[in-house]
Amino acid sequence: MTTVTQPLQYSAWQGFVPGPWAEEINVRDFIQRNYTPYDGDSSFLAGPTEKTLRTWETLEKKYLSVERQKRIFDIDTHTPSDIDVFPAGYISDDDDVIVGLQTDTPLKRAMMPFGGWRMVEQAIREAGMEPDEEVKTVFTRYRKTHNDAVFDIYTPRIRAARSSHIITGLPDAYGRGRIIGDYRRVALYGVDYLIAEKEAAKHAVGDQEFSEHWARFREEHSEQIKALKKLKKMAQSYGFDISGPATTAQEAVQWTYFGYLGSIKSQDGAAMSIGRLSAFLDVYFERDIKAGLITETDAQEIIDQLVLKLRIVRFLRTEDYDQIFSGDPYWATWSDAGFGNDGRHMVTKTSFRVLQTLVNLGPSPEPNITVFWDPALPEGYKEFCAHISIETSSIQYESDRQIREQWGDDAAIACCVSPMEVGKQMQFFGARVNAAKALLYAINGGRDEVSGKQIVEGYQAVEGDGPLDFDDVWNKYEDMLDWVVGTYVEALNIIHYSHDKYAYEAIEMALHDSNIVRSMGCGIAGLSIVADSLAAIKYGKVTPVRDETGLIVDYKTEGDFPVYGNDDDRADDIAATIVHTVMEKIKAIPMYRDAIPTQSVLTITSNVVYGKATGSFPSGHKAGTPFAPGANPENGADNHGMVASMLSVGKLDYKDALDGISLTNTITPAGLGRTPEERITNLVGVLDAGFLMEN
């Protein structure tokens, strides 16, 4: 990588341990040389300041309460959003610790029509407002959008699969998300250095013979440089000069947030994660506290005010979108803890401060706080995590060992379970294919079990009215997966080609290395239903029930059969085989921009809408009912306890699902013990046991 030398004499870097990070962009090296692991407990933490409480109260009374009544507080219908198009906006006079809003008013949503005008107009009308006709003319007559391009290219079979809901939730009308800018770079280096670095990289390719790669590289770098200049202009509107590095902890947080704010002002991706910040920011907090510049109360106030801002991120979405994702999520995921490659844990005091926001501000799903768990983490931290989980139900846990071994010790989660190395990797997000519905297509020879339409041609349905034969059904399922997976990946390649061309994430990519790793985030829905249905066919007796047209619409299932989620290898091995089979088919298909194919087993929110579009199964799962979320066992099927379900999920090979595997468990506090101390101890024990036995 071409680098621009930057002198260590910056006053901003006084007190920091030097290293390669001072000569080139290398945030990980800065963190590893400068962070302070914390082995203590939560006793040092501070409560909310009066200023924080007043700011939160203003938000609640003037904005959040109104939004809950109206669904959407307000929309700017005249201004296509960008990094620097809105004037500075504030919550109240107390809003002066960490500043910056997506628009000029809290909760006011902005239009992002470069992804597609149709969704923007629909969302505006659903909110009872009228679109600006001049803006509409621009984006329907003069400016092609990502959505326009996608549907120009889509093939008939993709359209058929999309309309029949065997593929659902494709990011073909909105921002794709799943790109984590390394927002820490703004604080550590300042924007002028980042611009110089991108200029150097752009010109390093020289006067080569023309190629599409050469032209795209230079054009994208030009867009990144423009975006960085807009970021400086936006920060200036709030009275800050971010051309150079942050000099204090408060500036470090503010600079970092400005980087993130630029991203959420210009993109409406399905997941806009903020990354892995605690150890980085803690370096600044430790330095300032030791120097007597701030107190612990000040440090907590800064983090509280940052999290407050993350809680009010809003995007303009349609009601259909909200149904797919069961609400209005944006997954501003904050990844934390874990271990470094050198064996030191990465728990810091700021790791505690982030969790403390759930006490100071109250529970919230955003930011999606994600702890990289390992049984060897400090006991004080593990106990505090358990305490906060029991009190708020607001923490997600991931396997640090699995993530670190595959993606390194500076990885973060994009969305719910998708890991990537910050600033060095991005993902082409791809929703997921309905693997359960594909089984019904296999049995019915490509006819949709709900509509009766022939969606897939050339496949033989199950014949006769006798019991289903496992080998016959499995072979038909494998054949159908060839069509389904091929159609799915073809759609993803089209979507991301079009998105790069018409809705490029310039500021997010400006906060990446110039040469990056790209992955294609594929995924499946309905794993437990397929596993249980195949187990019923193999170990029980399943007789199809046909309607008057011969379409199989239900099943009569007799006899006992094992079900996934109870640590029973008979069913669990079927589940693992399904995941492996789909992944092998994905890997066989060329990916756009040579992306690395990955897969997730994830339907944390969209399991409801998948279920609505799908018929009945041999397992007994009824038509129109929600799927179990993610890699979960079927609802009520895991009757051997939580640890048994964790063990079943642990048998799925992570190499077949590098985009992540999700297990959602519900435990009432009383189920963990009689006293708070017992509950904390038992939850820590459950987490330790589950992550010790992972595949």
Side-chain angles (χ1 to χ4, degrees), residues 299-346:
Q300 187 64 55
E301 180 181 65
I302 293 168
I303 292 296
D304 284 348
Q305 294 274 345
L306 171 62
V307 168
L308 186 150
K309 290 296 189 301
L310 300 181
R311 290 189 180 189
I312 59 172
V313 173
R314 295 292 187 273
F315 296 113
L316 183 59
R317 309 293 200 193
T318 63
E319 292 175 359
D320 287 342
Y321 179 98
D322 288 354
Q323 287 183 5
I324 290 175
F325 293 103
S326 299
D328 190 15
Y330 43 92
W331 290 290
T333 303
W334 182 308
S335 303
D336 212 338
F339 276 80
N341 292 338
D342 62 1
R344 293 182 300 159
H345 70 77
M346 297 186 68

Tab-separated table of all heavy atoms in Angstrom, residues 299-346:
chain	number	residue	atom	x	y	z
A	299	ALA	N	-16.132	10.792	31.386
A	299	ALA	CA	-15.972	9.715	30.406
A	299	ALA	C	-17.296	9.019	30.136
A	299	ALA	O	-17.665	8.754	28.982
A	299	ALA	CB	-14.922	8.713	30.896
A	300	GLN	N	-18.038	8.740	31.214
A	300	GLN	CA	-19.330	8.068	31.035
A	300	GLN	C	-20.315	8.965	30.306
A	300	GLN	O	-21.085	8.498	29.462
A	300	GLN	CB	-19.909	7.656	32.392
A	300	GLN	CG	-21.167	6.803	32.286
A	300	GLN	CD	-20.906	5.467	31.624
A	300	GLN	OE1	-20.040	4.708	32.057
A	300	GLN	NE2	-21.638	5.159	30.564
A	301	GLU	N	-20.283	10.251	30.596
A	301	GLU	CA	-21.180	11.176	29.909
A	301	GLU	C	-20.905	11.181	28.409
A	301	GLU	O	-21.844	11.184	27.586
A	301	GLU	CB	-21.014	12.587	30.467
A	301	GLU	CG	-21.929	13.607	29.800
A	301	GLU	CD	-21.734	15.011	30.358
A	301	GLU	OE1	-20.626	15.570	30.178
A	301	GLU	OE2	-22.684	15.539	30.970
A	302	ILE	N	-19.646	11.167	28.029
A	302	ILE	CA	-19.287	11.171	26.607
A	302	ILE	C	-19.830	9.915	25.919
A	302	ILE	O	-20.417	9.979	24.834
A	302	ILE	CB	-17.765	11.286	26.434
A	302	ILE	CG1	-17.286	12.670	26.905
A	302	ILE	CG2	-17.353	11.044	24.991
A	302	ILE	CD1	-15.774	12.784	27.042
A	303	ILE	N	-19.642	8.752	26.552
A	303	ILE	CA	-20.138	7.512	25.958
A	303	ILE	C	-21.663	7.491	25.952
A	303	ILE	O	-22.287	7.078	24.963
A	303	ILE	CB	-19.580	6.288	26.719
A	303	ILE	CG1	-18.064	6.183	26.494
A	303	ILE	CG2	-20.263	5.004	26.273
A	303	ILE	CD1	-17.654	5.928	25.051
A	304	ASP	N	-22.292	7.946	27.035
A	304	ASP	CA	-23.758	8.011	27.069
A	304	ASP	C	-24.295	8.864	25.921
A	304	ASP	O	-25.270	8.503	25.247
A	304	ASP	CB	-24.239	8.599	28.395
A	304	ASP	CG	-24.142	7.624	29.558
A	304	ASP	OD1	-23.923	6.421	29.318
A	304	ASP	OD2	-24.291	8.077	30.713
A	305	GLN	N	-23.650	10.001	25.701
A	305	GLN	CA	-24.138	10.916	24.667
A	305	GLN	C	-23.890	10.359	23.264
A	305	GLN	O	-24.682	10.607	22.348
A	305	GLN	CB	-23.464	12.283	24.825
A	305	GLN	CG	-23.841	13.009	26.108
A	305	GLN	CD	-25.112	13.832	25.976
A	305	GLN	OE1	-25.582	14.093	24.873
A	305	GLN	NE2	-25.676	14.241	27.105
A	306	LEU	N	-22.813	9.601	23.088
A	306	LEU	CA	-22.600	8.937	21.803
A	306	LEU	C	-23.688	7.898	21.564
A	306	LEU	O	-24.295	7.837	20.474
A	306	LEU	CB	-21.218	8.279	21.768
A	306	LEU	CG	-20.946	7.367	20.564
A	306	LEU	CD1	-21.009	8.141	19.253
A	306	LEU	CD2	-19.600	6.662	20.712
A	307	VAL	N	-23.946	7.066	22.554
A	307	VAL	CA	-24.961	6.024	22.406
A	307	VAL	C	-26.338	6.639	22.214
A	307	VAL	O	-27.164	6.127	21.441
A	307	VAL	CB	-24.920	5.070	23.617
A	307	VAL	CG1	-26.142	4.156	23.646
A	307	VAL	CG2	-23.641	4.232	23.568
A	308	LEU	N	-26.603	7.744	22.877
A	308	LEU	CA	-27.867	8.449	22.677
A	308	LEU	C	-28.056	8.793	21.198
A	308	LEU	O	-29.146	8.633	20.637
A	308	LEU	CB	-27.880	9.700	23.551
A	308	LEU	CG	-29.151	10.533	23.638
A	308	LEU	CD1	-29.238	11.207	25.002
A	308	LEU	CD2	-29.176	11.596	22.550
A	309	LYS	N	-26.989	9.266	20.562
A	309	LYS	CA	-27.064	9.587	19.135
A	309	LYS	C	-27.320	8.330	18.294
A	309	LYS	O	-28.065	8.359	17.311
A	309	LYS	CB	-25.769	10.262	18.673
A	309	LYS	CG	-25.576	11.668	19.205
A	309	LYS	CD	-26.653	12.609	18.696
A	309	LYS	CE	-26.388	14.061	19.027
A	309	LYS	NZ	-26.256	14.365	20.446
A	310	LEU	N	-26.691	7.234	18.668
A	310	LEU	CA	-26.885	6.003	17.906
A	310	LEU	C	-28.311	5.486	18.031
A	310	LEU	O	-28.820	4.813	17.126
A	310	LEU	CB	-25.896	4.932	18.377
A	310	LEU	CG	-24.409	5.277	18.223
A	310	LEU	CD1	-23.539	4.129	18.705
A	310	LEU	CD2	-24.068	5.628	16.783
A	311	ARG	N	-28.967	5.791	19.137
A	311	ARG	CA	-30.331	5.319	19.337
A	311	ARG	C	-31.353	6.064	18.479
A	311	ARG	O	-32.472	5.579	18.319
A	311	ARG	CB	-30.720	5.449	20.813
A	311	ARG	CG	-30.002	4.473	21.719
A	311	ARG	CD	-30.585	4.488	23.118
A	311	ARG	NE	-29.903	3.551	24.002
A	311	ARG	CZ	-30.327	3.244	25.219
A	311	ARG	NH1	-31.432	3.799	25.697
A	311	ARG	NH2	-29.649	2.385	25.969
A	312	ILE	N	-31.002	7.209	17.947
A	312	ILE	CA	-31.979	7.982	17.174
A	312	ILE	C	-31.659	7.996	15.682
A	312	ILE	O	-32.165	8.842	14.940
A	312	ILE	CB	-32.122	9.421	17.717
A	312	ILE	CG1	-30.786	10.177	17.675
A	312	ILE	CG2	-32.671	9.391	19.143
A	312	ILE	CD1	-30.933	11.665	18.028
A	313	VAL	N	-30.839	7.061	15.229
A	313	VAL	CA	-30.637	6.888	13.792
A	313	VAL	C	-31.966	6.431	13.176
A	313	VAL	O	-32.652	5.568	13.726
A	313	VAL	CB	-29.540	5.847	13.519
A	313	VAL	CG1	-29.437	5.546	12.030
A	313	VAL	CG2	-28.195	6.329	14.055
A	314	ARG	N	-32.333	7.013	12.061
A	314	ARG	CA	-33.575	6.646	11.383
A	314	ARG	C	-33.378	6.664	9.863
A	314	ARG	O	-32.680	7.532	9.327
A	314	ARG	CB	-34.709	7.630	11.729
A	314	ARG	CG	-35.131	7.640	13.181
A	314	ARG	CD	-35.815	6.354	13.600
A	314	ARG	NE	-36.354	6.431	14.944
A	314	ARG	CZ	-35.660	6.140	16.057
A	314	ARG	NH1	-34.397	5.755	15.969
A	314	ARG	NH2	-36.238	6.237	17.243
A	315	PHE	N	-34.024	5.701	9.189
A	315	PHE	CA	-34.024	5.678	7.732
A	315	PHE	C	-35.460	5.658	7.233
A	315	PHE	O	-36.369	5.176	7.920
A	315	PHE	CB	-33.266	4.451	7.213
A	315	PHE	CG	-31.807	4.461	7.559
A	315	PHE	CD1	-31.278	3.531	8.436
A	315	PHE	CD2	-30.957	5.408	7.009
A	315	PHE	CE1	-29.937	3.542	8.769
A	315	PHE	CE2	-29.606	5.429	7.336
A	315	PHE	CZ	-29.098	4.493	8.215
A	316	LEU	N	-35.656	6.164	6.044
A	316	LEU	CA	-36.982	6.205	5.437
A	316	LEU	C	-37.297	4.839	4.847
A	316	LEU	O	-36.701	4.441	3.842
A	316	LEU	CB	-37.031	7.294	4.363
A	316	LEU	CG	-38.380	7.497	3.679
A	316	LEU	CD1	-39.459	7.861	4.686
A	316	LEU	CD2	-38.253	8.576	2.599
A	317	ARG	N	-38.216	4.120	5.471
A	317	ARG	CA	-38.547	2.755	5.059
A	317	ARG	C	-40.036	2.641	4.758
A	317	ARG	O	-40.860	3.371	5.317
A	317	ARG	CB	-38.219	1.756	6.169
A	317	ARG	CG	-36.819	1.846	6.742
A	317	ARG	CD	-35.752	1.445	5.755
A	317	ARG	NE	-34.502	1.086	6.436
A	317	ARG	CZ	-33.335	0.931	5.834
A	317	ARG	NH1	-33.238	1.122	4.545
A	317	ARG	NH2	-32.259	0.583	6.513
A	318	THR	N	-40.386	1.669	3.929
A	318	THR	CA	-41.790	1.387	3.669
A	318	THR	C	-42.338	0.439	4.728
A	318	THR	O	-41.593	-0.220	5.459
A	318	THR	CB	-41.968	0.728	2.296
A	318	THR	OG1	-41.290	-0.538	2.303
A	318	THR	CG2	-41.408	1.609	1.193
A	319	GLU	N	-43.648	0.348	4.794
A	319	GLU	CA	-44.274	-0.582	5.731
A	319	GLU	C	-43.941	-2.024	5.368
A	319	GLU	O	-43.799	-2.883	6.250
A	319	GLU	CB	-45.787	-0.364	5.746
A	319	GLU	CG	-46.190	0.986	6.361
A	319	GLU	CD	-47.671	1.264	6.267
A	319	GLU	OE1	-48.403	0.414	5.703
A	319	GLU	OE2	-48.112	2.330	6.747
A	320	ASP	N	-43.808	-2.322	4.076
A	320	ASP	CA	-43.421	-3.675	3.657
A	320	ASP	C	-42.032	-4.030	4.168
A	320	ASP	O	-41.786	-5.162	4.603
A	320	ASP	CB	-43.436	-3.785	2.124
A	320	ASP	CG	-44.845	-3.817	1.557
A	320	ASP	OD1	-45.779	-4.094	2.336
A	320	ASP	OD2	-45.010	-3.571	0.353
A	321	TYR	N	-41.122	-3.065	4.101
A	321	TYR	CA	-39.769	-3.290	4.625
A	321	TYR	C	-39.839	-3.610	6.112
A	321	TYR	O	-39.198	-4.540	6.600
A	321	TYR	CB	-38.907	-2.058	4.382
A	321	TYR	CG	-37.497	-2.170	4.916
A	321	TYR	CD1	-36.448	-2.528	4.064
A	321	TYR	CD2	-37.200	-1.916	6.252
A	321	TYR	CE1	-35.148	-2.638	4.548
A	321	TYR	CE2	-35.919	-2.028	6.745
A	321	TYR	CZ	-34.894	-2.385	5.889
A	321	TYR	OH	-33.614	-2.505	6.378
A	322	ASP	N	-40.616	-2.826	6.842
A	322	ASP	CA	-40.729	-3.052	8.281
A	322	ASP	C	-41.297	-4.432	8.590
A	322	ASP	O	-40.939	-5.058	9.592
A	322	ASP	CB	-41.606	-1.972	8.915
A	322	ASP	CG	-40.905	-0.612	8.975
A	322	ASP	OD1	-39.714	-0.553	8.620
A	322	ASP	OD2	-41.554	0.364	9.372
A	323	GLN	N	-42.177	-4.926	7.734
A	323	GLN	CA	-42.713	-6.271	7.942
A	323	GLN	C	-41.641	-7.328	7.735
A	323	GLN	O	-41.566	-8.299	8.489
A	323	GLN	CB	-43.888	-6.513	6.997
A	323	GLN	CG	-45.152	-5.763	7.389
A	323	GLN	CD	-46.327	-6.080	6.473
A	323	GLN	OE1	-46.216	-6.938	5.601
A	323	GLN	NE2	-47.436	-5.390	6.678
A	324	ILE	N	-40.820	-7.135	6.720
A	324	ILE	CA	-39.740	-8.101	6.473
A	324	ILE	C	-38.822	-8.189	7.679
A	324	ILE	O	-38.413	-9.287	8.103
A	324	ILE	CB	-38.928	-7.696	5.221
A	324	ILE	CG1	-39.766	-7.884	3.952
A	324	ILE	CG2	-37.642	-8.519	5.117
A	324	ILE	CD1	-39.088	-7.399	2.694
A	325	PHE	N	-38.514	-7.032	8.276
A	325	PHE	CA	-37.554	-7.009	9.372
A	325	PHE	C	-38.216	-6.863	10.745
A	325	PHE	O	-37.557	-6.571	11.738
A	325	PHE	CB	-36.545	-5.885	9.144
A	325	PHE	CG	-35.661	-6.137	7.950
A	325	PHE	CD1	-35.882	-5.473	6.748
A	325	PHE	CD2	-34.629	-7.053	8.014
A	325	PHE	CE1	-35.087	-5.715	5.645
A	325	PHE	CE2	-33.823	-7.298	6.903
A	325	PHE	CZ	-34.055	-6.627	5.722
A	326	SER	N	-39.525	-7.078	10.786
A	326	SER	CA	-40.278	-7.073	12.046
A	326	SER	C	-40.006	-5.826	12.881
A	326	SER	O	-39.696	-5.906	14.071
A	326	SER	CB	-39.947	-8.342	12.853
A	326	SER	OG	-40.318	-9.492	12.142
A	327	GLY	N	-40.119	-4.682	12.246
A	327	GLY	CA	-39.881	-3.428	12.955
A	327	GLY	C	-39.109	-2.455	12.098
A	327	GLY	O	-39.224	-2.467	10.878
A	328	ASP	N	-38.283	-1.642	12.735
A	328	ASP	CA	-37.549	-0.587	12.032
A	328	ASP	C	-36.076	-0.630	12.453
A	328	ASP	O	-35.526	0.368	12.915
A	328	ASP	CB	-38.175	0.769	12.379
A	328	ASP	CG	-37.645	1.903	11.521
A	328	ASP	OD1	-37.022	1.619	10.482
A	328	ASP	OD2	-37.834	3.061	11.898
A	329	PRO	N	-35.438	-1.784	12.312
A	329	PRO	CA	-34.052	-1.890	12.800
A	329	PRO	C	-33.050	-1.275	11.829
A	329	PRO	O	-33.314	-1.135	10.634
A	329	PRO	CB	-33.843	-3.404	12.890
A	329	PRO	CG	-34.694	-3.943	11.786
A	329	PRO	CD	-35.903	-3.042	11.718
A	330	TYR	N	-31.889	-0.908	12.355
A	330	TYR	CA	-30.805	-0.451	11.485
A	330	TYR	C	-29.474	-1.061	11.897
A	330	TYR	O	-28.479	-0.873	11.256
A	330	TYR	CB	-30.719	1.087	11.469
A	330	TYR	CG	-30.875	1.744	12.821
A	330	TYR	CD1	-29.776	2.041	13.614
A	330	TYR	CD2	-32.137	2.065	13.308
A	330	TYR	CE1	-29.931	2.652	14.846
A	330	TYR	CE2	-32.297	2.673	14.541
A	330	TYR	CZ	-31.188	2.964	15.318
A	330	TYR	OH	-31.332	3.550	16.555
A	331	TRP	N	-29.458	-1.806	13.001
A	331	TRP	CA	-28.287	-2.572	13.421
A	331	TRP	C	-27.007	-1.736	13.451
A	331	TRP	O	-26.048	-2.002	12.729
A	331	TRP	CB	-28.105	-3.791	12.517
A	331	TRP	CG	-29.151	-4.831	12.723
A	331	TRP	CD1	-29.314	-5.644	13.799
A	331	TRP	CD2	-30.206	-5.178	11.804
A	331	TRP	NE1	-30.401	-6.469	13.621
A	331	TRP	CE2	-30.968	-6.197	12.411
A	331	TRP	CE3	-30.565	-4.713	10.538
A	331	TRP	CZ2	-32.069	-6.770	11.794
A	331	TRP	CZ3	-31.671	-5.279	9.933
A	331	TRP	CH2	-32.404	-6.296	10.545
A	332	ALA	N	-27.023	-0.728	14.327
A	332	ALA	CA	-25.804	0.056	14.553
A	332	ALA	C	-24.897	-0.746	15.498
A	332	ALA	O	-24.560	-0.313	16.591
A	332	ALA	CB	-26.152	1.412	15.162
A	333	THR	N	-24.500	-1.913	15.057
A	333	THR	CA	-23.852	-2.892	15.937
A	333	THR	C	-22.508	-2.398	16.447
A	333	THR	O	-21.655	-1.936	15.686
A	333	THR	CB	-23.683	-4.227	15.193
A	333	THR	OG1	-24.977	-4.656	14.743
A	333	THR	CG2	-23.082	-5.291	16.093
A	334	TRP	N	-22.316	-2.526	17.761
A	334	TRP	CA	-21.066	-2.163	18.456
A	334	TRP	C	-20.455	-3.455	18.975
A	334	TRP	O	-21.009	-4.108	19.848
A	334	TRP	CB	-21.389	-1.214	19.602
A	334	TRP	CG	-20.225	-0.703	20.397
A	334	TRP	CD1	-19.233	-1.446	20.989
A	334	TRP	CD2	-19.943	0.665	20.730
A	334	TRP	NE1	-18.350	-0.631	21.638
A	334	TRP	CE2	-18.758	0.674	21.508
A	334	TRP	CE3	-20.583	1.866	20.459
A	334	TRP	CZ2	-18.209	1.851	22.017
A	334	TRP	CZ3	-20.025	3.034	20.948
A	334	TRP	CH2	-18.856	3.022	21.716
A	335	SER	N	-19.316	-3.845	18.424
A	335	SER	CA	-18.646	-5.098	18.816
A	335	SER	C	-17.623	-4.820	19.907
A	335	SER	O	-16.963	-3.778	19.901
A	335	SER	CB	-17.954	-5.727	17.608
A	335	SER	OG	-18.885	-5.956	16.567
A	336	ASP	N	-17.477	-5.783	20.840
A	336	ASP	CA	-16.653	-5.498	22.013
A	336	ASP	C	-16.027	-6.771	22.579
A	336	ASP	O	-16.462	-7.884	22.293
A	336	ASP	CB	-17.502	-4.838	23.093
A	336	ASP	CG	-16.720	-3.848	23.947
A	336	ASP	OD1	-15.483	-3.958	23.991
A	336	ASP	OD2	-17.346	-2.960	24.549
A	337	ALA	N	-14.985	-6.545	23.411
A	337	ALA	CA	-14.314	-7.590	24.214
A	337	ALA	C	-13.524	-8.540	23.317
A	337	ALA	O	-12.908	-8.127	22.345
A	337	ALA	CB	-15.320	-8.310	25.104
A	338	GLY	N	-13.515	-9.844	23.650
A	338	GLY	CA	-12.697	-10.794	22.925
A	338	GLY	C	-11.240	-10.750	23.354
A	338	GLY	O	-10.862	-10.096	24.337
A	339	PHE	N	-10.402	-11.437	22.585
A	339	PHE	CA	-8.967	-11.533	22.856
A	339	PHE	C	-8.176	-11.045	21.659
A	339	PHE	O	-8.639	-11.107	20.513
A	339	PHE	CB	-8.577	-12.980	23.159
A	339	PHE	CG	-8.790	-13.380	24.589
A	339	PHE	CD1	-10.051	-13.717	25.035
A	339	PHE	CD2	-7.736	-13.387	25.492
A	339	PHE	CE1	-10.280	-14.071	26.353
A	339	PHE	CE2	-7.939	-13.744	26.815
A	339	PHE	CZ	-9.215	-14.083	27.251
A	340	GLY	N	-6.962	-10.555	21.926
A	340	GLY	CA	-6.023	-10.240	20.872
A	340	GLY	C	-5.228	-11.467	20.485
A	340	GLY	O	-5.180	-12.470	21.216
A	341	ASN	N	-4.581	-11.391	19.339
A	341	ASN	CA	-3.773	-12.524	18.892
A	341	ASN	C	-2.616	-12.823	19.830
A	341	ASN	O	-2.070	-13.932	19.827
A	341	ASN	CB	-3.226	-12.251	17.488
A	341	ASN	CG	-4.319	-12.231	16.443
A	341	ASN	OD1	-5.397	-12.798	16.634
A	341	ASN	ND2	-4.062	-11.554	15.327
A	342	ASP	N	-2.217	-11.833	20.657
A	342	ASP	CA	-1.105	-12.042	21.584
A	342	ASP	C	-1.545	-12.692	22.899
A	342	ASP	O	-0.730	-12.880	23.802
A	342	ASP	CB	-0.393	-10.719	21.867
A	342	ASP	CG	-1.311	-9.683	22.534
A	342	ASP	OD1	-2.498	-9.997	22.791
A	342	ASP	OD2	-0.842	-8.558	22.790
A	343	GLY	N	-2.827	-13.023	23.017
A	343	GLY	CA	-3.313	-13.704	24.212
A	343	GLY	C	-3.880	-12.793	25.275
A	343	GLY	O	-4.444	-13.269	26.270
A	344	ARG	N	-3.740	-11.468	25.120
A	344	ARG	CA	-4.337	-10.537	26.087
A	344	ARG	C	-5.815	-10.344	25.751
A	344	ARG	O	-6.171	-10.190	24.587
A	344	ARG	CB	-3.640	-9.184	26.043
A	344	ARG	CG	-2.195	-9.177	26.516
A	344	ARG	CD	-1.638	-7.753	26.453
A	344	ARG	NE	-1.670	-7.211	25.091
A	344	ARG	CZ	-1.633	-5.921	24.792
A	344	ARG	NH1	-1.591	-5.019	25.757
A	344	ARG	NH2	-1.638	-5.522	23.532
A	345	HIS	N	-6.660	-10.322	26.774
A	345	HIS	CA	-8.059	-9.999	26.513
A	345	HIS	C	-8.167	-8.515	26.174
A	345	HIS	O	-7.297	-7.703	26.513
A	345	HIS	CB	-8.935	-10.361	27.716
A	345	HIS	CG	-8.743	-9.503	28.920
A	345	HIS	ND1	-9.257	-8.225	29.029
A	345	HIS	CD2	-8.078	-9.735	30.087
A	345	HIS	CE1	-8.935	-7.712	30.203
A	345	HIS	NE2	-8.206	-8.600	30.868
A	346	MET	N	-9.256	-8.161	25.491
A	346	MET	CA	-9.455	-6.785	25.028
A	346	MET	C	-10.599	-6.090	25.756
A	346	MET	O	-11.207	-5.145	25.237
A	346	MET	CB	-9.646	-6.759	23.516
A	346	MET	CG	-8.423	-7.267	22.753
A	346	MET	SD	-8.532	-7.088	20.971
A	346	MET	CE	-8.466	-5.305	20.787
